[in-house]
Amino acid sequence: MATAKEQFLQQFGEHYGYPNAPKTIDQIRATEFNRLQDLVYLDHAGATLYSELQMESVFKDLTGNLFGPTNERATGLEASQSDSSSSTLEIVRDARQQIMTLSVLQVLDYCNASPKDYKCIFTSGATAALKLVGEAFPWSCNRAAAIAVDIEDVNPRIEGENFSTKISLHQVQRRKAAGLLEGEPMGDVYNLFAFPSECNFSGLRFDLDLAKIIKEDPSRILGTSVCKNGRWLVLIDAAKGSATIPPDLSKYPVDFVALSFYKLFGYPTGLGALIVRNDAAKLLKKSYFSGGTVAASIADIDFVKRREGIEELFEDGTASFLSIASLHHGFKILNCLTVSAISRHTTSLALYTRKTLLALRHGNGSSVCILYGRHNSMETCHKMGPIVSFNLKRSDGSWYGYREVEKLASLSGIQLRTGCFCNPGACAKYLGLSHMDLISNTEAGHVCWDDRDIINGKPVGAVRVSFGYMSTYEDAKKFIDFVTSSFMSPQNHVDNGKQLKGSLKHDREWILKSLSGEILTLKRVPEMGLISSFIDLSQGMLFIESPHCKEKLQIRLQLDSYDSAIQEIELQGQRYKVYSYSNETNAWFSEAIGRPCTLLRYSGSNHEYVLDRTKDVVACKDTNSAVSFANEAQFLLVSEESVSDLNKRICSDVQKGICGTEAQVNASRFRPNLVVSGGRPYDEDGWRDIRIGNQYFSSLGGCNRCQVINRSLNAGQVQKSKEPLATLASYRRVKGKILFGILLKYTSVNGEQQQCDSWLHVGQEVHPD
């Protein structure tokens, strides 16, 4: 890496690191971010990291001083007027006021905003700041409308123009509410133009000259149809952009700026600010009041006297005074390094990453990486923030799914972000998703947080890496090496077949649902893996136990034992009819997994296959109807030889010859229905059809594995590691999937259904093809 770093420094050394700061970037990482060690954190656009020195200073403050809310005298409480009490109260008040004043001044100074022209309102975050403006803005109710705009950076600039941004207007959306009047509005009319200083999807920084033009001559870029009446105010969402280039309010005197402090220096979370221009603040109309925002009120009549200060009027309830007191430790870091140096440092890493990713090629010369946003020259790098958003392609032109990238990155100790980053507009724009695409994807069951990353051959999200003030060249290099080693090697395609109709009797007939309606899975609730079950068909009972519950639970298998009505739920885009259980049963499962839940059972099962563990046999019955909550297939086969080969690879590749028993896995880790032995490792990959006794099965292809197989049970606890998925990813990755074991379906013979009441026995021979 030394030679590669020397080449990096030759090109970016002027901007990389902090040569004029007390510590170099390597010293900062070694002394203030020791917890990272071998981890690579590349999600600073989501939340940057707090330094250990910063938190030590915060802790010293909190343990060495007494803090309290700034409005120290609560309504209905009397304070002593003695000399000693008054003196103490004055000292406390002065100390609190100094803290608040210092914090406010630091926030205003960060955006170069004069305290004479601007006020700082503390909120719970940037979202709350935006919500405050939206609720209190003096909208003209009879003309309320919203227009989405697309801001394009024009390069080169249009001849004779000093402004390089083009605005495209989308369709006007009017509020649909009864009683709204048409025609010209009465009285003063105010309009609001809101935009981010930096796009959190692409990293594009928007020209803040846009704010000046909107305020002075809006028709120049918005057109006369939009700008018929009224005065335009401007809001900048600087939550992302202010981490490297905060808006200069002395140069661009906008009306509102929203900030979020954890994006600047990691801590505190849950605290943001709205910087508001004084003349704009006078226009805001609050429709309600709450604790701390009124000077007086009468409970049983409509009388209220609001506080006069803009901060006091809009900071509802008790301010987050401990978090506010911690701000100056974060600003101390930024001031020490300087924001301009942070911007140069992070931009150098982002530009290096963009250029390197763009240069990656498959063996046939096709591009590996498709980047979003501007990225092609040093001249435009100042227009891009420290964000790199992209998707990856295979050599045949098909897409790698962003979930695959995220999964493999996690196994490599790299934390990044995937999806649409809560920016659906930019996501649709850069990915070329039409309204029809978006609606169709949603109707098909796709939601923001699911694992469906490629639909109809198109990505529905992207991969994003972003850099912070403590990011290093080594972080960027490790990420690039990860992309190179993981996504430039050709792989053979294995068809995963189609979804199976059929099931084991009583298999996946039950689910747990949270009180909010979420269907709980082992991936999200690892404690579910501690629950074990046993079915006794002769008694018609399901026995369940958990180390978290003292008593075993018994459930009758007969559906007529339920006393609840059938209800409907939606799962994976399909609707199911389910039965519910008693409060006692729900309480048992709630205790078992450590969170409130209810047990539901599928009501329409035809019970195709029967598993009888007491006799080590499986009874089979065929039907054409789909049953249970199965999401992919009903039979999963794993071979002991494949598991043994995997364990050898774990020992040699991961443990480097030093292999403890805790690194070994057994077949049960993969949750198979059928386990076979006697062949060579991975023979099952090539099986198309198999016969066990006189029963026939067809292969649907390999089983795609996820992080669930990295969880093991030990002494009643769920433990998580990187194995075996990390090793499997090194040699079993095919077309975006990490395959182990094969999925099977029960098939007919010569078009005829197989006979009922036949059995599979442990020890029977397996005949492939």
Side-chain angles (χ1 to χ4, degrees):
M1 184 180 288
T3 302
K5 187 170 185 178
E6 289 172 1
Q7 294 175 352
F8 167 82
L9 292 176
Q10 287 178 0
Q11 186 172 5
F12 300 102
E14 180 182 357
H15 306 290
Y16 177 76
Y18 306 100
N20 298 321
K23 295 180 181 179
T24 66
I25 181 60
D26 292 334
Q27 290 173 332
I28 290 173
R29 279 294 288 267
T31 59
E32 300 186 31
F33 296 91
N34 186 56
R35 64 189 185 278
L36 288 179
Q37 296 184 358
D38 294 330
L39 299 176
V40 175
Y41 184 84
L42 296 176
D43 189 24
H44 296 273
T48 197
L49 301 176
Y50 53 79
S51 83
E52 290 150 22
L53 182 61
Q54 174 189 357
M55 297 310 297
E56 290 174 3
S57 300
V58 170
F59 182 73
K60 183 178 180 181
D61 253 7
L62 296 181
T63 55
N65 297 283
L66 181 63
F67 295 97
T70 54
N71 52 336
E72 68 278 347
R73 185 175 300 176
T75 302
L77 298 179
E78 294 294 335
S80 170
Q81 298 300 309
S82 67
D83 291 342
S84 59
S85 296
S86 298
S87 176
T88 301
L89 185 62
E90 192 68 28
I91 293 172
V92 172
R93 182 187 295 113
D94 289 345
R96 290 172 181 167
Q97 190 61 42
Q98 288 176 13
I99 293 170
M100 291 294 291
T101 300
L102 175 63
S103 300
V104 168
L105 290 177
Q106 285 179 319
V107 175
L108 294 178
D109 182 66
Y110 189 69
C111 293
N112 204 12
S114 169
K116 296 180 181 179
D117 300 322
Y118 286 91
K119 294 293 188 292
C120 172
I121 302 171
F122 286 112
T123 65
S124 63
T127 300
L130 299 174
K131 181 172 180 284
L132 188 158
V133 176
E135 291 179 340
F137 194 82
W139 307 107
S140 299
C141 294
N142 62 327
R143 300 285 292 176
I147 306 174
V149 301
D150 194 4
I151 305 177
E152 293 284 354
D153 188 59
V154 179
N155 191 42
R157 291 173 179 250
I158 300 173
E159 186 176 355
E161 292 280 348
N162 293 321
F163 183 61
S164 63
T165 298
K166 176 185 177 182
I167 301 292
S168 301
L169 305 182
H170 291 253
Q171 184 178 355
V172 176
Q173 302 293 321
R174 295 195 178 277
R175 180 182 300 168
K176 295 181 180 179
L180 294 185
L181 303 176
E182 294 297 331
E184 294 299 320
M186 302 299 292
D188 296 330
V189 176
Y190 297 97
N191 310 294
L192 181 66
F193 187 90
F195 70 102
S197 59
E198 181 183 318
C199 174
N200 76 326
F201 188 97
S202 66
L204 179 65
R205 289 170 175 156
F206 297 108
D207 192 338
L208 296 190
D209 281 327
L210 175 62
K212 282 187 175 181
I213 296 176
I214 291 294
K215 292 179 72 68
E216 298 171 2
D217 186 13
S219 61
R220 175 180 165 189
I221 53 178
L222 295 179
T224 56
S225 61
V226 177
C227 307
K228 289 182 179 179
N229 301 289
R231 169 187 168 190
W232 281 86
L233 283 73
V234 176
L235 180 153
I236 293 179
D237 179 356
K240 170 60 188 78
S242 60
T244 50
I245 300 185
D248 185 345
L249 297 185
S250 67
K251 185 177 180 181
Y252 305 101
V254 301
D255 302 284
F256 309 100
V257 175
L259 300 173
S260 199
F261 295 111
Y262 73 92
K263 291 183 182 290
L264 301 183
F265 31 72
Y267 180 89
T269 58
L271 183 66
L274 176 69
I275 299 176
V276 55
R277 192 171 176 83
N278 291 339
D279 56 351
K282 297 175 183 178
L283 301 176
L284 299 180
K285 304 298 180 184
K286 194 173 183 182
S287 59
Y288 62 93
F289 68 89
S290 57
T293 65
V294 295
S297 67
I298 300 178
D300 56 347
I301 65 172
D302 186 8
F303 173 83
V304 59
K305 179 177 175 57
R306 300 179 186 272
R307 300 182 74 168
E308 296 181 357
I310 185 67
E311 308 98 319
E312 299 167 337
L313 179 60
F314 284 98
E315 290 177 355
D316 295 324
T318 301
S320 184
F321 55 91
L322 295 180
S323 295
I324 293 172
S326 302
L327 289 179
H328 73 279
H329 296 295
F331 280 117
K332 182 178 179 180
I333 294 173
L334 302 187
N335 293 334
C336 181
L337 299 177
T338 74
V339 176
S340 60
I342 292 173
S343 179
R344 292 192 301 271
H345 171 77
T346 54
T347 297
S348 69
L349 292 172
L351 184 57
Y352 164 73
T353 303
R354 291 190 194 102
K355 293 181 65 176
T356 308
L357 290 177
L358 277 176
L360 296 180
R361 292 291 185 273
H362 289 293
N364 62 2
S366 61
S367 296
V368 174
C369 186
I370 304 299
L371 295 183
Y372 304 115
R374 303 192 64 137
H375 47 71
N376 54 2
S377 71
M378 287 292 293
E379 295 177 359
T380 59
C381 70
H382 71 281
K383 296 180 180 179
M384 298 296 296
I387 284 177
V388 184
S389 290
F390 60 92
N391 272 307
L392 298 173
K393 277 192 167 185
R394 300 184 180 89
S395 58
D396 62 3
S398 62
W399 297 96
Y400 286 105
Y402 57 79
R403 288 298 188 200
E404 178 185 2
V405 180
E406 181 180 30
K407 182 191 299 184
L408 295 177
S410 177
L411 294 173
S412 299
I414 300 173
Q415 184 168 334
L416 42 74
R417 185 66 63 107
T418 63
C420 279
F421 325 126
C422 298
N423 192 338
C427 187
K429 169 187 172 180
Y430 286 107
L431 300 180
L433 298 174
S434 66
H435 289 170
M436 188 62 68
D437 290 331
L438 298 172
I439 294 172
S440 175
N441 294 345
T442 302
E443 290 178 345
H446 170 59
V447 291
C448 295
W449 54 86
D450 66 19
D451 291 331
R452 302 180 66 182
D453 46 19
I454 306 291
I455 300 179
N456 296 325
K458 288 184 177 181
V460 295
V463 183
R464 184 185 74 185
V465 297
S466 49
F467 299 93
Y469 76 81
M470 74 297 296
S471 298
T472 64
Y473 163 79
E474 286 73 20
D475 293 334
K477 185 63 167 60
K478 184 174 180 179
F479 167 72
I480 291 168
D481 290 345
F482 155 73
V483 173
T484 302
S485 62
S486 301
F487 299 98
M488 291 180 61
S489 299
Q491 298 284 349
N492 294 326
H493 174 64
V494 176
D495 187 5
N496 270 332
K498 58 184 179 180
Q499 186 172 347
L500 168 66
K501 292 184 177 180
S503 74
L504 289 167
K505 186 171 185 178
H506 301 310
D507 180 38
R508 283 166 281 192
E509 287 187 15
W510 289 268
I511 56 173
L512 293 178
K513 184 178 74 170
S514 71
L515 299 186
S516 64
E518 177 190 9
I519 304 302
L520 304 180
T521 64
L522 186 60
K523 185 182 295 186
R524 294 185 178 273
V525 187
E527 292 78 10
M528 292 174 64
L530 299 173
I531 299 174
S532 60
S533 61
F534 170 76
I535 290 179
D536 189 326
L537 292 177
S538 63
Q539 298 185 45
M541 297 294 294
L542 169 65
F543 299 91
I544 309 173
E545 58 183 329
S546 165
H548 295 164
C549 300
K550 295 180 180 179
E551 303 292 335
K552 291 184 179 180
L553 181 65
Q554 300 183 27
I555 296 178
R556 290 185 57 84
L557 297 177
Q558 289 295 325
L559 294 176
D560 57 8
S561 65
Y562 305 129
D563 57 3
S564 298
I566 292 178
Q567 57 181 282
E568 285 193 353
I569 63 169
E570 183 170 340
L571 179 63
Q572 297 169 353
Q574 300 184 20
R575 296 201 65 80
Y576 295 85
K577 290 184 177 181
V578 296
Y579 285 97
S580 57
Y581 283 83
S582 65
N583 292 336
E584 291 77 8
T585 298
N586 295 332
W588 190 95
F589 278 97
S590 298
E591 183 177 2
I593 67 173
R595 65 180 68 189
C597 66
T598 58
L599 180 68
L600 301 174
R601 184 181 181 183
Y602 180 66
S603 67
S605 174
N606 289 316
H607 312 323
E608 290 177 273
Y609 307 102
V610 180
L611 175 63
D612 186 347
R613 294 183 182 175
T614 60
K615 299 179 181 179
D616 287 332
V617 295
V618 178
C620 302
K621 183 184 296 183
D622 187 88
T623 181
N624 291 323
S625 61
V627 297
S628 81
F629 298 111
N631 60 347
E632 191 170 13
Q634 307 297 4
F635 289 97
L636 170 59
L637 181 147
V638 167
S639 84
E640 290 186 341
E641 284 71 25
S642 298
V643 174
S644 177
D645 178 77
L646 169 62
N647 281 321
K648 291 178 181 178
R649 292 173 184 267
I650 292 175
C651 290
S652 61
D653 295 343
V654 179
Q655 303 296 333
K656 297 181 180 179
I658 304 174
C659 183
T661 57
E662 67 277 4
Q664 299 289 291
V665 298
N666 55 38
S668 63
R669 180 77 72 90
F670 302 96
R671 304 168 69 206
N673 306 117
L674 304 172
V675 179
V676 300
S677 64
R680 294 173 300 181
Y682 314 110
D683 272 354
E684 63 272 18
D685 291 344
W687 296 351
R688 297 182 60 186
D689 300 285
I690 65 172
R691 176 174 61 85
I692 305 176
N694 63 347
Q695 309 306 313
Y696 292 83
F697 302 84
S698 293
S699 172
L700 299 175
C703 179
N704 185 26
R705 295 302 181 173
C706 67
Q707 297 275 4
V708 169
I709 64 173
N710 286 347
R711 293 170 178 157
S712 61
L713 307 179
N714 186 10
Q717 298 294 322
V718 179
Q719 296 181 339
K720 183 178 179 181
S721 67
K722 292 183 179 181
E723 295 297 346
L725 196 60
T727 297
L728 285 174
S730 68
Y731 76 106
R732 295 286 299 172
R733 190 158 59 88
V734 179
K735 278 285 187 180
K737 297 177 173 61
I738 301 173
L739 303 179
F740 192 82
I742 60 172
L743 303 171
L744 300 176
K745 76 170 182 177
Y746 191 59
T747 60
S748 59
V749 182
N750 297 325
E752 298 181 1
Q753 291 186 345
Q754 299 191 40
Q755 297 297 316
C756 302
D757 300 327
S758 55
W759 300 85
L760 296 179
H761 298 265
V762 171
Q764 280 184 306
E765 290 188 355
V766 178
H767 300 274
D769 299 322

